Amino acid sequence: MNIEIELSTDYNSVIDHVRNTRNVVQASGQSLIIIQNGKIVTEHYEGHHSNIRNAKSLTMDSLFHIASVRKSYTGFCVAWAICNGHINSIDDPVLKYLPELNEETLKGITLRHFLTHTHGLRTNPDGNLFNYFHAGERWDYRDENIRMLAEIIRRTTGKTVAKIASEEIFVPLGFKKAGWYTEPSDDMVLTIFEPDGKSSFETRNSADGDRPNMFSTARELAYWGFLHLNNGKIGDEQIVNPEILKMATTVQSPKLLRKEFPNNGFLWQVQMNPTKNSEIGLNVPKGSFQILGICNQTLLVMPEFNLVAVRLLNRLGNPPGFNYLEDVKSFGDCVTEASTKLLVKI
């Protein structure tokens, strides 16, 4: 997949914003890509693969660990399974697909609750699930749901998350780098745990898409967002059924959820009326959708501006005084401000 490149200075303020975040959190490198009106208008790489002396400089081939941004692929696979008749409904009980789980703990929890972070499950020190709150009562960002969703996908479709992603997205779009890695690669950007010390490649022993070991280049992640922006169509070719992407990026949160909690599609967070606990900037237009990673990775799609923005950094952990979610929100607001100024200029 190739998108025309027509670089401009219109989003230099966003480059500065990402650079400031990188300096504050002490990441070793940063990447930023903005696609607008079908063209790459900003593509910026700065820094190195790690804080080790003589580390490689970042390039368009650099592979960042994208952490929870990978969950957008999990959500896609659930929507794909529904549209292809493998799963009946997101209101099906989880126990229908995973009957071996504790009936008392999982009773009343549906796929909708898993997909919108409203399931209420947590894990105790012994590794057992317990109900932190009743499903649908609150919003709580956890990972207990993700591996179970991956297993439901495998059981209902006969394919792993990684297999579906490869067949339905990576191969049709010509992706060469994105995927779940079990071994380090020379192109990998290390995750920095301590600015002057520990770092890691963040690989795992499974390539099935059920673990947090997905890596991507900034471009391929931006193209993934662009596919959503274009309703599954690239040029004249319909790559993905638009109903799959619509399902994944439309609000699916339980109707009784309190208003201060965020709105979710299939693991994407969706901007409706800004809420107290939202991860999306206050000024980001309604209908935008976003997904985050713990190292400040952000994939933001803004249909109102016909725009996709991707920022990738590699620092795990927040220094004193740094508010991760407020920084993510300000990133979205910075993109919004630059886009609004551009519209006025035009």
Side-chain angles (χ1 to χ4, degrees):
M1 176 178 174
N2 291 304
I3 294 179
E4 184 179 348
I5 301 174
E6 192 174 291
L7 301 180
S8 73
T9 60
D10 295 318
Y11 290 96
N12 280 359
S13 60
V14 184
I15 294 176
D16 291 339
H17 186 285
V18 178
R19 181 182 293 119
N20 180 69
T21 299
R22 173 194 163 201
N23 290 335
V24 170
V25 302
Q26 296 178 283
S28 71
Q30 66 187 66
S31 293
L32 174 70
I33 289 191
I34 296 176
I35 299 174
Q36 188 168 37
N37 299 323
K39 298 178 181 179
I40 296 174
V41 296
T42 298
E43 184 169 23
H44 178 80
Y45 306 98
E46 184 176 307
H48 299 85
H49 281 210
S50 76
N51 50 16
I52 300 170
R53 187 176 181 180
N54 298 322
K56 289 178 64 173
S57 296
L58 288 177
T59 69
M60 62 180 293
D61 293 320
S62 297
L63 279 166
F64 278 81
H65 180 239
I66 64 171
S68 288
V69 177
R70 81 188 194 281
K71 296 173 186 177
S72 58
Y73 286 101
T74 305
F76 171 89
C77 289
V78 175
W80 181 88
I82 291 171
C83 286
N84 285 279
H86 300 289
I87 292 174
N88 179 53
S89 167
I90 63 170
D91 290 314
D92 284 348
V94 170
L95 286 169
K96 174 181 177 179
Y97 301 102
L98 302 174
E100 72 277 12
L101 297 180
N102 185 293
E103 183 175 356
E104 183 177 349
T105 304
L106 272 292
K107 185 178 180 180
I109 299 178
T110 67
L111 298 184
R112 183 185 299 275
H113 295 129
F114 270 13
L115 291 163
T116 59
H117 300 297
T118 58
H119 51 83
L121 294 175
R122 288 196 175 185
T123 306
N124 66 24
D126 295 327
N128 296 316
L129 293 173
F130 70 96
N131 302 106
Y132 184 66
F133 57 81
H134 294 298
E137 179 182 83
R138 294 175 54 187
W139 182 94
D140 187 32
Y141 190 89
R142 307 289 297 178
D143 275 345
E144 283 82 358
N145 51 330
I146 302 304
R147 288 187 65 186
M148 286 188 276
L149 280 172
E151 178 61 15
I152 290 169
I153 290 163
R154 187 190 66 79
R155 292 188 187 187
T156 57
T157 69
K159 299 179 181 181
T160 64
V161 168
K163 180 71 170 175
I164 295 171
S166 177
E167 292 177 351
E168 302 296 325
I169 303 159
F170 300 164
V171 171
L173 293 183
F175 285 8
K176 304 296 184 185
K177 310 276 282 187
W180 287 263
Y181 283 74
T182 60
E183 298 291 339
S185 159
D186 287 341
D187 289 330
M188 281 182 182
V189 178
L190 273 70
T191 297
I192 306 298
F193 294 93
E194 299 169 6
D196 298 317
K198 185 180 178 183
S199 58
S200 169
F201 285 109
E202 290 294 293
T203 58
R204 297 291 189 277
N205 61 2
S206 171
D208 290 342
D210 59 337
R211 302 279 184 164
N213 56 321
M214 189 178 184
F215 288 76
S216 177
T217 64
R219 269 201 190 183
E220 290 186 349
L221 194 56
Y223 291 168
W224 171 229
F226 185 66
L227 186 71
H228 289 74
L229 183 67
N230 271 17
N231 299 310
K233 196 172 185 179
I234 302 297
D236 295 327
E237 186 177 0
Q238 190 71 52
I239 304 294
V240 171
N241 179 351
E243 289 304 311
I244 294 175
L245 302 180
K246 181 180 179 181
M247 188 184 301
T249 58
T250 299
V251 174
Q252 306 286 357
S253 299
K255 292 182 180 179
L256 296 179
L257 199 64
R258 298 205 304 264
K259 292 183 179 180
E260 68 264 32
F261 293 124
N263 296 291
N264 280 93
F266 282 22
L267 302 170
W268 289 88
Q269 197 161 119
V270 183
Q271 180 81 308
M272 299 301 288
N273 297 316
T275 62
K276 177 182 177 182
N277 295 313
S278 174
E279 299 168 350
I280 304 179
L282 180 66
N283 299 318
V284 173
K286 188 174 182 179
S288 300
F289 44 98
Q290 175 180 276
I291 197 157
L292 308 178
I294 197 170
C295 297
N296 300 285
Q297 307 96 328
T298 308
L299 170 54
L300 173 62
V301 181
M302 305 169 73
E304 182 169 317
F305 294 122
N306 198 22
L307 179 148
V308 175
V310 166
R311 74 166 185 176
L312 294 175
L313 296 138
N314 66 322
R315 172 72 159 94
L316 179 64
N318 300 325
F322 178 74
N323 188 312
Y324 165 73
L325 288 180
E326 288 303 316
D327 183 76
V328 170
K329 291 179 184 180
S330 67
F331 170 74
D333 285 340
C334 184
V335 176
T336 300
E337 181 180 7
S339 300
T340 302
K341 288 181 179 179
L342 179 58
L343 286 178
V344 172
K345 185 172 72 173
I346 293 173

